[in-house]
Amino acid sequence: MSTTQSERLRELLEPLVASQGLDLEEIAVDSVGRRRVLSVVVDSDTGADLDRIADVSRALSAKLDETDAMGEGEYTLEVGTPGAERSLTEHRHYVRATDRLVRFQLHEGGELVARILAVDEDGLDLEVPGVKGRKATTRRLPFGDIDKARVQVEFNRKDTKNGNQPENDNKTEEEEA
């Protein structure tokens, strides 16, 4: 998708998405054979259930039908939310990932897997899981030290609200394999 088309679509669709109480995260137009697919990714601090996705999809479809933003020819509109292992690129993504396990690629070349405890304007307070029976430790990570960050899927996580999470019982998808 050209930058111009991407910017034009974002300008057209972002107000509609915001009016539904959602954030427009991504827009992509891909060719699948002769067809084109417009993928729109939305999210919010409280998540986006199927009803909200359906409402925003109808609003976007109506707006696209009354404009020529997608040009001539058929296309399919797909509206969804970020996946379970989303990349964290905006401040709001880190806030939404509070209490989640995240894999960080650091500018200095290292890697860190830790749980986000708190987020402020300058960085993150993290809980780094203990290794080989050691207790978890806390660490401060400035945003400037982060190259990439991705939420990890946890299969064996216990309910932390009731204090039922034993130490080191979290396994990421890679550790399960």
Side-chain angles (χ1 to χ4, degrees), residues 51-174:
D51 290 335
R52 290 177 81 185
I53 297 292
D55 290 344
V56 77
S57 182
R58 282 189 289 274
L60 296 179
S61 181
K63 188 65 162 181
L64 290 165
D65 287 348
E66 69 186 41
T67 69
D68 68 344
M70 286 298 293
E72 304 244 343
E74 293 183 22
Y75 66 92
T76 301
L77 172 64
E78 294 179 351
V79 180
T81 59
E85 290 187 354
R86 75 171 308 159
S87 291
L88 306 177
T89 57
E90 304 281 337
H91 186 270
R92 69 178 177 264
H93 299 163
Y94 290 96
V95 171
R96 291 174 186 160
T98 299
D99 293 327
R100 301 284 310 269
L101 197 63
V102 176
R103 181 176 306 274
F104 297 94
Q105 298 292 322
L106 306 176
H107 284 303
E108 62 201 33
E111 182 176 275
L112 173 67
V113 177
R115 188 170 310 285
I116 298 176
L117 299 175
V119 181
D120 61 32
E121 295 304 313
D122 300 318
L124 311 167
D125 291 329
L126 304 174
E127 179 184 69
V128 181
V131 179
K132 296 184 182 177
R134 294 189 181 132
K135 288 192 172 205
T137 58
T138 58
R139 175 179 173 177
R140 178 77 179 162
L141 183 62
F143 285 120
D145 290 355
I146 301 170
D147 187 34
K148 295 179 185 175
R150 182 177 296 277
V151 172
Q152 299 296 290
V153 173
E154 296 179 81
F155 291 106
N156 293 325
R157 182 159 186 205
K158 305 293 186 238
D159 181 9
T160 58
K161 291 183 172 90
N162 296 327
N164 294 333
Q165 182 174 343
E167 293 201 22
N168 300 323
D169 196 25
N170 298 335
K171 289 191 167 71
T172 65
E173 189 172 337
E174 292 172 6

